[in-house]
Amino acid sequence: MAPILPTPPPASIPVPNVPITAPRSAPPSSLVNRTQRFLEENQRLILLGCAVLAASGAGYYLYNRSSGSDKPGPSSPASSSSGGGVAGSSASSKKNKKKKKKSGEKKDEKFLRNEGEQGPLLEEIPQPAGERKEAGVKAPESTAAVESPAEDDSVAHLADIPDAEALAGLDDTAKNQLGASLKDRGNKLYSKKEFKKAVECYTKAIEISVRKDAVFFSNRAACYTNFSPPEYAKCVADCDEALKLDRTYVKALKRRATALENLGRDEEAVRDFTATTIIERFQDEQAATSVERCLKKLAQKRAKDILETREPKLPSPTFISAYLSAFRPHPKPSVPSGSNPSQGDQTLILAFEALEAADYSHAVTFVNEAIDQGISWKEGEAEAYNLRGTFKFLIGDSEGARSDLQKSLDLKPDFVQSWVKIASVHMELGDSASAFGDFEAAIRHNSNDPDIYYHRGQVYFIMQEFDKAIADYNKSTALDGDFIFTHIQAAVAQYKMGNVGASMAAFRRILKQFPEKGEPSNYYGELLLDQQKFQESLERFDKSIDLDKTRRPRNVLPFVNKALALFQWKQDIAGAESLCKEALDIDSECDVAVATLAQLSLQQGKIDEAIKWFEKSAQLARTEGELINAITYEHASKAQMHFLKNYPEFAERLSQMAQAL
């Protein structure tokens, strides 16, 4: 979920998603990683319950459950104080786990096959005392055979039911008693897997009984799911009727949710599974898993539809600037002296001027036009394909980026920057062997280029091979000691290895070496925040903001960092929101600020506002993974809002449960 590039800028810079087989990690202090943990640590509440006000600076109350698929994340200030949540380890859930082990069948497959819906229903109608047999009320003679139907007759299970005229002569008590007997008969037929006959019994019970009961409809719905093929639409209709009679009837909610999921109506299924989970006090492990499963399917489908129809879009200026700053600047291409510049040559120069001015949208337009118009000299053409490939990579078009960068290398085989960038593309495409081959090729062409070692160090860092990463950072620094990010990333790698003292000392040296730069203060502040040294971290973020106030484009990440610090330290939600909105005033597409505002809205129980921020987050998403994440939270929040609208009486229960964590 946390977007990380094989060669990212250091610490808190957000970068595109990379699926690699090796474990990947961002610096423990980085804004992106910390914000991502902030999301992940509170995901269970977002997925399974309503956001409620927290009692301590720990983020949201979190329902945690043990699961083989859950991956424990690194500890952080947020996670250390968030509490353990409601443990879903009841005796019944343990039995369920044993059964699953014994069957050897995956939980999702078992659930979707409606396993467990074929045993005895054991659902009884609480009858008024005056209608109980033991109270002296005789059942009509026509019901005497209810308990022992003639199994060799296809209609015997209903043969003893009075005709319409006889039924008309029965009083309400007798009709209700007969309906209950028919329900019992349906249950027995159900246990024998005679589902069609059971449906007929439940249907007759519904027709005869004056006092309608949700059980009649819910049991008949269970039969429909066991038909071959299942009749899920009828199951939904019956569960609708059951829930009209008893809106908190959990079995009907679960049956309807399962049917809706099988009908492909995942958004509605999420609502029912969410309601089930909350009503059952988060003890229903199967429903909890089902919420996540349906959300995943819903988000993947919607993300695919969006990606197929929307136009490619550049990420925010903050994002682009951060990525570009991870490469040392090299001279702008210039038309060879003595030649007459072509139209394409002139347009290419305009592209690099726009790039220098951080006018990224015009830079893209100009470089595309330059390539179409034709560039007169080989090195200029290689630069053009390098630049266009870079922008394609930033918008998530990895294949297009690889194609352009390869053209750049075909034209200029010793173009080290293109080798480094194509290595990043190969990592994103999951081809680590080719990526390391690209780095080796770059070294063969120019072993003294410091960018090679910096970016290869970033790959090692993501793969958690920190000793190799530090070796490459040191090699890069030895070749060029003026590149600030190499120093920063080496210090962060030390911190990641647990060498906190060495890391902090390194940052103090960096602050002295680059006193006019805002980045060291921002990243140093992140380390301080990770250690819960709140006052010092705030001072660092303020210093970074002040040093970068004339920078264009301005770095807005210290604003978001400061927002998180205020929230973690003082639970100052208003101050945190104000800082995130200030970041958005500077960079309206800062996705980290948007994600943080969504979480802060949930923290206050403002689910409608959170949904708007999650929708905005989806609009800003660059990759499929980021889009799926935003859509997941959006629909989970909508399910919560739907629940509170339909079950307002549970708001107090949720609050009480949260306070108990």
Side-chain angles (χ1 to χ4, degrees):
M1 292 164 58
I4 301 174
L5 191 72
T7 55
S12 65
I13 303 303
V15 281
N17 183 53
V18 181
I20 59 176
T21 55
R24 58 192 183 122
S25 173
S29 60
S30 81
L31 173 60
V32 166
N33 202 41
R34 190 170 65 256
T35 302
Q36 190 59 44
R37 291 202 307 265
F38 187 59
L39 296 175
E40 291 173 349
E41 288 160 2
N42 298 288
Q43 183 178 37
R44 181 61 60 172
L45 172 66
I46 294 168
L47 299 183
L48 303 181
C50 171
V52 293
L53 290 175
S56 64
Y60 314 109
Y61 291 107
L62 176 64
Y63 164 64
N64 272 316
R65 64 186 177 87
S66 298
S67 168
S69 62
D70 290 342
K71 297 179 181 178
S75 62
S76 68
S79 63
S80 64
S81 55
S82 60
V86 180
S89 58
S90 63
S92 62
S93 67
K94 288 180 181 176
K95 288 178 183 176
N96 288 338
K97 288 178 183 177
K98 287 180 181 177
K99 287 180 182 176
K100 282 181 282 181
K101 271 190 177 179
K102 190 174 182 180
S103 68
E105 186 172 21
K106 290 182 180 177
K107 183 192 301 181
D108 289 357
E109 294 171 355
K110 183 175 181 180
F111 188 78
L112 288 173
R113 285 179 55 241
N114 303 296
E115 199 85 23
E117 281 278 41
Q118 297 178 13
L121 296 175
L122 298 179
E123 297 180 295
E124 298 299 328
I125 308 170
Q127 299 182 35
E131 296 182 12
R132 294 174 187 160
K133 291 181 182 180
E134 61 268 27
V137 178
K138 270 191 173 182
E141 290 183 11
S142 58
T143 66
V146 164
E147 299 300 328
S148 55
E151 297 181 16
D152 59 340
D153 189 339
S154 61
V155 296
H157 57 291
L158 296 177
D160 54 352
I161 302 303
D163 58 23
E165 184 177 348
L167 286 171
L170 299 177
D171 60 21
D172 288 354
T173 299
K175 288 180 180 178
N176 289 339
Q177 192 174 14
L178 178 56
S181 296
L182 282 164
K183 186 268 297 184
D184 292 341
R185 184 182 296 183
N187 287 358
K188 290 180 180 179
L189 290 165
Y190 181 97
S191 67
K192 296 176 182 178
K193 300 187 179 182
E194 296 187 47
F195 302 116
K196 293 188 182 296
K197 290 182 181 180
V199 163
E200 292 170 359
C201 287
Y202 296 134
T203 301
K204 196 55 109 172
I206 292 168
E207 292 173 0
I208 292 173
S209 183
V210 176
R211 181 174 53 83
K212 306 304 179 188
D213 195 280
V215 173
F216 295 162
F217 294 98
S218 180
N219 286 9
R220 189 170 68 175
C223 293
Y224 287 134
T225 64
N226 284 287
F227 278 14
S228 184
E231 297 189 18
Y232 293 118
K234 288 184 178 180
C235 175
V236 170
D238 266 0
C239 289
D240 288 344
E241 295 302 316
L243 291 164
K244 287 177 186 176
L245 295 165
D246 182 356
R247 46 199 290 279
T248 61
Y249 189 9
V250 169
K251 281 195 174 183
L253 275 169
K254 286 183 71 173
R255 284 174 184 148
R256 186 171 69 178
T258 305
L260 288 167
E261 183 180 2
N262 279 283
L263 290 169
R265 295 160 63 178
D266 291 310
E267 185 170 3
E268 296 167 85
V270 166
R271 291 176 181 175
D272 280 354
F273 282 130
T274 298
T276 298
T277 304
I278 298 173
I279 293 170
E280 290 285 83
R281 297 178 179 270
F282 303 106
Q283 298 299 306
D284 191 325
E285 187 77 5
Q286 191 180 65
T289 302
S290 298
V291 171
E292 297 176 6
R293 181 181 63 249
C294 291
L295 278 171
K296 182 179 179 181
K297 289 193 295 182
L298 176 64
Q300 287 177 335
K301 182 179 183 302
R302 189 174 158 206
K304 183 181 178 183
D305 292 341
I306 290 172
L307 291 172
E308 287 177 350
T309 56
R310 79 175 183 184
E311 291 294 320
K313 180 183 176 184
L314 283 174
S316 71
T318 298
F319 185 97
I320 298 172
S321 177
Y323 177 74
L324 295 175
S325 69
F327 293 88
R328 291 165 175 81
H330 69 282
K332 289 187 296 184
S334 57
V335 181
S337 59
S339 63
N340 292 321
S342 67
Q343 182 62 51
D345 297 344
Q346 294 173 357
T347 306
L348 179 63
I349 300 304
L350 292 176
F352 277 91
E353 288 175 353
L355 184 70
E356 192 173 45
D359 185 358
Y360 301 124
S361 60
H362 279 100
V364 171
T365 300
F366 285 138
V367 75
N368 281 325
E369 289 178 0
I371 290 172
D372 291 341
Q373 291 165 352
I375 299 165
S376 65
W377 84 107
K378 185 180 293 186
E379 289 77 7
E381 194 175 0
E383 290 276 5
Y385 280 113
N386 173 285
L387 182 58
R388 192 171 75 172
T390 300
F391 281 119
K392 285 183 178 180
F393 186 45
L394 288 169
I395 65 174
D397 179 9
S398 297
E399 289 293 351
R402 177 164 64 177
S403 176
D404 274 356
L405 291 168
Q406 187 58 58
K407 288 177 183 176
S408 174
L409 291 168
D410 291 342
L411 291 161
K412 189 180 179 184
D414 62 349
F415 197 169
V416 167
Q417 192 180 101
S418 288
W419 281 114
V420 171
K421 289 179 179 178
I422 204 170
S424 298
V425 174
H426 281 135
M427 287 297 292
E428 181 157 349
L429 293 171
D431 187 357
S432 59
S434 293
F436 281 104
D438 296 331
F439 285 122
E440 290 300 323
I443 291 170
R444 286 196 300 272
H445 286 291
N446 185 358
S447 61
N448 291 321
D449 189 310
D451 269 353
I452 301 170
Y453 305 101
Y454 170 69
H455 287 275
R456 191 173 67 178
Q458 295 291 75
V459 174
Y460 283 131
F461 186 99
I462 292 167
M463 298 172 72
Q464 299 188 29
E465 296 187 39
F466 301 116
D467 52 346
K468 292 182 179 179
I470 290 172
D472 267 350
Y473 296 146
N474 290 340
K475 174 73 171 176
S476 180
T477 300
L479 291 167
D480 176 12
D482 295 331
F483 189 61
I484 189 171
F485 292 131
T486 315
H487 296 274
I488 291 173
Q489 197 64 41
V492 173
Q494 289 280 1
Y495 190 89
K496 186 70 174 177
M497 293 177 72
N499 301 326
V500 177
S503 175
M504 302 300 278
F507 262 105
R508 288 191 288 272
R509 288 195 298 271
I510 296 168
L511 289 167
K512 290 180 181 178
Q513 186 176 352
F514 301 94
E516 303 303 317
K517 297 286 187 178
E519 290 92 343
S521 284
N522 179 52
Y523 302 138
Y524 187 44
E526 291 185 351
L527 296 189
L528 292 165
L529 179 56
D530 196 59
Q531 299 169 59
Q532 301 190 42
K533 297 179 180 179
F534 299 114
Q535 183 62 54
E536 294 176 70
S537 70
L538 286 172
E539 291 171 359
R540 280 293 130 199
F541 297 139
D542 284 335
K543 182 69 173 177
S544 180
I545 290 169
D546 182 63
L547 287 172
D548 280 346
K549 61 187 176 184
T550 60
R551 174 177 170 176
R552 295 294 179 271
R554 193 171 180 185
N555 182 14
V556 299
L557 298 179
F559 291 90
V560 186
N561 267 327
K562 185 179 177 181
L564 292 173
L566 282 176
F567 172 72
Q568 290 183 31
W569 185 19
K570 299 181 177 180
Q571 291 293 288
D572 184 358
I573 293 179
E577 285 185 328
S578 177
L579 283 161
C580 288
K581 289 177 180 178
E582 189 174 354
L584 288 175
D585 287 340
I586 298 169
D587 180 355
S588 62
E589 297 186 341
C590 179
D591 52 352
V592 181
V594 169
T596 305
L597 282 166
Q599 297 295 329
L600 292 171
S601 297
L602 282 181
Q603 180 69 25
Q604 302 169 80
K606 298 177 180 178
I607 302 178
D608 53 344
E609 288 186 18
I611 290 169
K612 292 176 183 177
W613 288 118
F614 285 129
E615 289 173 344
K616 174 73 170 177
S617 185
Q619 294 169 9
L620 296 176
R622 295 174 294 275
T623 66
E624 185 177 11
E626 292 175 357
L627 185 56
I628 287 172
N629 189 44
I631 294 170
T632 296
Y633 281 107
E634 174 193 336
H635 283 281
S637 300
K638 286 180 177 178
Q640 294 171 35
M641 191 163 65
H642 184 270
F643 176 81
L644 288 178
K645 179 180 178 181
N646 288 279
Y647 300 91
E649 69 273 22
F650 282 87
E652 181 62 26
R653 174 189 290 186
L654 286 168
S655 181
Q656 291 173 354
M657 291 174 66
Q659 296 297 328
L661 300 182

